Amino acid sequence: MRPTALDLASGHPALTAAVQRGRKLLHRRALVAAAAGAVPVPGLDWAVDAALLTRLIPRINAEFGLMPDQLDRLTPHERERVQKAVAMVGSVLIGKFITKDLILKAAQAVGMRMTARQAARFVPVAGQVASAVIGYTVIRYLGEEHMKDCVRVALKAQ
């Protein structure tokens, strides 16, 4: 079983606290995605997911001190260490201004789930429930993966 963000942060109280705060944000946003997934309006869930993620990812970055303005306040040596750590982890969402294009790149990782979600919503009741569950799961997955990247960057930058 793959480690969670909390597993990766264990032994580091500040990182553990950041993961817990990030998960609280993530849970609330995933519930909104689930509600949007239950509404049988084509495309609504994609729009809601994109809007949620463009606000959620920067908030998670901020919890870990990885927003562009936070990185600008670091000494040049510290900033260079963080940038090297970001490059090693390979995240496109850390330390950058989040755009819809970046969110779409991240969402491609779970594209098949999104397609199943679209198809499921047209089956009365059970399909809408399935679409809501998939919507919740997709947002939680993307957020958890991003938090893992943030923890990895923080650990490598130390």
Side-chain angles (χ1 to χ4, degrees), residues 47-63:
V48 169
D49 289 354
L52 286 171
L53 289 169
T54 47
R55 287 191 297 260
L56 176 66
I57 298 298
R59 299 267 317 264
I60 291 172
N61 285 345
E63 291 296 335

Side-chain angles (χ1 to χ4, degrees), residues 92-93 100-110:
V92 295
L93 300 176
K100 288 187 181 179
D101 289 338
L102 285 176
I103 294 300
L104 290 175
K105 285 179 187 176
Q108 286 174 349
V110 289

